[in-house]
Amino acid sequence: MTQEKSLDSLDAIADCLADAFEDGEGAAITAAMRAVAQAPALGELAAAVGMPREELQAALMADEFNLDLTLEIMKVVDLHMSGGRG
């Protein structure tokens, strides 16, 4: 599964989350979010989402995800998956 790969870049995080959301199972999405929360590139995702790294990490580790935050993360994932890097 994608979570086993090193999440050391924003592209790797995008791949991990895209795979989880494509899978569509809650357990896969939760596992991906938690893997991303521990990722070396979490700071890159936090900057892209526009929030402090620690705050994003806490949100990703929470039992329930904030829908607005999830949508912001998915926008970043979509940009990276479509090659629209800034």
Side-chain angles (χ1 to χ4, degrees):
M1 182 167 249
T2 303
Q3 288 87 351
E4 296 171 3
K5 294 181 181 178
S6 177
L7 300 176
D8 58 0
S9 71
L10 198 48
D11 287 337
I13 287 175
D15 288 343
C16 173
L17 293 174
D19 288 349
F21 277 93
E22 185 176 316
D23 181 89
E25 291 191 26
I29 294 168
T30 297
M33 293 285 208
R34 291 194 172 160
V36 168
Q38 302 302 318
L42 181 62
E44 291 180 56
L45 179 60
V49 171
M51 66 189 306
R53 182 189 188 286
E54 295 78 18
E55 189 177 321
L56 178 58
Q57 184 175 41
L60 290 171
M61 294 299 290
D63 287 335
E64 294 184 19
F65 302 116
N66 176 297
L67 182 57
D68 290 334
L69 174 58
T70 303
L71 292 174
E72 286 300 315
I73 291 170
M74 293 315 300
K75 287 178 192 175
V76 172
V77 169
D78 186 48
L79 283 175
H80 279 264
M81 296 305 293
S82 65
R85 296 183 197 140

